[in-house]
Amino acid sequence: MTLRIIDTETCGLDGGIVEVASIDLIDSRLANPMSDLVCPDRPISIDAMAIHHITEAMVEDKPRIAVAIGRYLGSDYYVAHNAAFDRGVLPEMRGRWICTLKLARMLYPDIKYGNQYLRYALNLDVQLPQDNTLYPHRALYDCYVTAALLQRIIKDSSWSAEEMADITERPALIKTFKFGKYRGRLIEQIAQEDPGYLQWMLKNLADLNPDMKHTLKYYLVG
C-alpha cells in the first residue's frame, strides 16, 4: 500500500499553485520523490514569494497544474499537513486524504502544530537526500518533513491508513482561536464569556473550515 505525501506552494492563501511535490511511503520506506514548478493562473503575491522564494520568472515557462498533476495521480491515500488546503487546490486527487495536522492535534496536545515546530518538538528524523539543496517552504522539502511526522504518528498510535483517513474526515474540536480579537484564547472560555462572538463568527465568516464550525456549534450548544 502506498501513502503519497503531497505538498503545494501557492500564490497566496486563495490558491494558485506554483509548485507541487510528493514522496511515497511504502512499507515504512520513502520512495519516488517528485517535484514540479507550475505556471499559476494568477500573480504570485509578494507575501507568498517572501515565504517560498518562487518568483514569476521561475514559473513563466512551466506547465499549468492540469498538465503537471498527471504523474501525481493514482494513489489510494494522499497525506498532507493541513490536508483541507491541499485538497482544496488539488480537486483532481480522487483518493482518500490523511491530515497530519489533525492527527498531531489528537496525539500531541498543548504544543504548536506547524510542520517545522513539530519537527523539532518531536525530534523527527527527517530523511533528506544526501545532495540536499532543498529548504523549508519548498514543496518537496515540506513533503520530507510531513513524511517524518507521518512515520512518527504511525509509530505512536498504531493507526492504520484507513483509521487515519476516518479521523481526518471527522470534524474535530479546536482548542484555541488562531485569529481574530481572541487569538490565542481558549474557545471554551470565550464561549462562556462572550458567546455572541461565536454566533457572529458562524453567521458572518463563510470561509470557516469544518473543524472550526463544529467547534463553535459544540460550545454554543454545550
Side-chain angles (χ1 to χ4, degrees):
M1 180 185 61
T2 299
L3 300 175
R4 180 156 294 163
I5 298 97
I6 198 156
D7 187 76
T8 56
E9 299 300 331
T10 63
C11 295
L13 294 177
D14 294 330
I17 296 175
V18 296
E19 188 175 42
V20 60
S22 73
I23 190 166
D24 294 341
L25 182 63
I26 306 173
D27 297 328
S28 302
R29 295 186 178 183
L30 298 182
N32 193 31
M34 300 187 292
S35 178
D36 287 285
L37 289 170
V38 175
C39 183
D41 60 359
R42 68 200 73 182
I44 307 172
S45 73
I46 299 299
D47 287 339
M49 279 191 276
I51 294 172
H52 52 54
H53 307 294
I54 298 172
T55 65
E56 300 278 1
M58 293 169 62
V59 297
E60 62 182 0
D61 61 344
K62 302 302 180 182
R64 295 287 190 177
I65 188 61
V67 175
I69 201 62
R71 65 186 184 134
Y72 297 88
L73 303 178
S75 181
D76 292 328
Y77 293 95
Y78 292 98
V79 182
H81 200 66
N82 191 14
F85 179 82
D86 294 282
R87 187 175 191 174
V89 298
L90 292 171
E92 303 90 346
M93 303 304 197
R94 302 301 183 189
R96 298 187 73 188
W97 283 78
I98 293 169
C99 180
T100 52
L101 172 61
K102 182 174 283 189
L103 299 176
R105 281 177 173 157
M106 293 187 65
L107 280 177
Y108 315 116
D110 300 322
I111 61 175
K112 297 177 182 179
Y113 298 102
N115 233 8
Q116 288 297 312
Y117 188 94
L118 287 167
R119 174 186 180 177
Y120 295 107
L122 300 177
N123 194 27
L124 299 178
D125 180 19
V126 180
Q127 302 172 37
L128 293 167
Q130 291 292 327
D131 60 345
N132 175 45
T133 57
L134 304 172
Y135 52 85
H137 302 298
R138 288 297 297 264
L140 187 55
Y141 181 101
D142 289 352
C143 284
Y144 277 101
V145 177
T146 300
L149 175 58
L150 176 65
Q151 290 173 308
R152 177 65 176 273
I153 286 170
I154 292 172
K155 178 182 177 181
D156 290 348
S157 69
S158 298
W159 287 327
S160 66
E162 184 174 0
E163 287 173 322
M164 291 188 289
D166 286 342
I167 293 169
T168 294
E169 291 166 3
R170 294 197 300 264
L173 290 177
I174 298 174
K175 190 171 183 179
T176 60
F177 284 111
K178 304 299 181 184
F179 60 90
K181 66 178 182 178
Y182 292 120
R183 182 175 182 177
R185 297 281 303 279
L186 293 173
I187 297 176
E188 181 178 13
Q189 183 177 1
I190 301 305
Q192 298 172 359
E193 297 177 2
D194 188 3
Y197 182 69
L198 276 63
Q199 294 169 343
W200 177 87
M201 290 180 68
L202 284 169
K203 182 178 180 180
N204 294 282
L205 302 182
D207 59 347
L208 289 175
N209 66 52
D211 289 343
M212 180 58 81
K213 288 181 181 179
H214 171 71
T215 300
L216 297 177
K217 291 176 181 178
Y218 174 86
Y219 283 118
L220 283 172
V221 172

